[in-house]
Structures are given as structure tokens and as C-alpha cells.
Amino acid sequence: MKLRIHGNSLRLRLNQSEVAQFSKTGFVEDSIQFAPGASFSYTLESMSSISGPQAHYANGSLCIRVPGADATDWVRSDRVGISGDQPLESGKRLSILIEKDFQCLHGDEARDPDAYPNPLEETVS
């Protein structure tokens, strides 16, 4: 699972195996270790009790939750992503986007065999 943080936006990209796991369990997690005892984890979780994507951060862990109905539709269809905004203090908003990870079309990156086939690949070739 890839996590991109830019300004007040979060984006998760999941490959086919991660989407399959999320489909079965409603949960997928990844982490990065910076040094012994210093790590950051991030999770994607399906919850039927919420109406839009939410992000929660505590104790070195980021949890992004999505509505159960959206999660089910996303994993069972060709729907690319789930998106939403979370209100923050002072009128600001956090943009949240969860996407299926497509094969990169740029020659400078290694191809991920578990990424989804890129629908634009035929037009670029």
C-alpha cells in the first residue's frame, strides 16, 4: 500500500493483493520503520457506521476509515477510487483519496506485477 501526503491531502493506493485482502477482512495495514523503536503505521479500514472517509491519527499510527457500502462497491467493481473531505479546524479540509494502483506508464519506474493493468497503456504505446 502506498501512502502519499501532500499539504492537506492523503492518498492511499492499493495493489490487487491488498484490495483482495481488504475485500476479505475490511482491513489492510502497512508501516515504515525509521530507526529501532521508531515506526509509523497506516491502515485502511471499512466501517459501516460512517458516511464518508475519515482519517484518525494517534501514537504514530494513521487510520483511514471508509464507509462499508463504498468499500464493497469499490472492491467488487471497476470503480477506481473512494474520495471525500474531512472538516478540520479553522474551516480547513483534509482531502482523502483511496485508489486502486495502476501500472506506471513511465519508463523510469519498475513495473509492479501486482498493480492493476493501466487502461491508458494502449494509447501510450
Side-chain angles (χ1 to χ4, degrees):
M1 183 165 54
K2 297 175 184 175
L3 170 64
R4 179 178 183 209
I5 301 171
H6 182 77
N8 276 357
S9 68
L10 296 172
R11 182 172 75 176
L12 288 178
R13 290 172 46 196
L14 285 73
N15 65 28
Q16 294 183 71
S17 296
E18 292 159 341
V19 171
Q21 177 187 339
F22 185 66
S23 176
K24 290 178 190 172
T25 65
F27 184 85
V28 65
E29 179 177 30
D30 208 343
S31 65
I32 182 171
Q33 185 171 357
F34 298 104
S39 64
F40 172 73
S41 66
Y42 49 103
T43 60
L44 177 63
E45 182 178 352
S46 173
M47 291 191 76
S48 60
S49 62
I50 61 173
S51 60
Q54 300 176 354
H56 301 275
Y57 176 79
N59 303 320
S61 182
L62 172 66
C63 180
I64 298 174
R65 297 180 178 128
V66 295
D70 285 340
T72 299
D73 179 57
W74 181 64
V75 299
R76 292 183 179 172
S77 71
D78 60 357
R79 181 176 174 183
V80 174
I82 301 170
S83 64
D85 287 333
Q86 176 175 315
L88 301 172
E89 298 173 353
S90 305
K92 294 183 179 180
R93 303 190 74 70
L94 174 67
S95 174
I96 302 170
L97 177 61
I98 298 91
E99 297 178 303
K100 293 174 180 169
D101 191 23
F102 291 109
Q103 290 285 346
C104 183
L105 297 179
H106 306 291
D108 56 344
E109 291 189 37
R111 291 179 79 68
D112 178 358
D114 202 22
Y116 286 85
N118 194 314
L120 299 177
E121 188 167 27
E122 292 177 6
T123 60
V124 173
S125 298

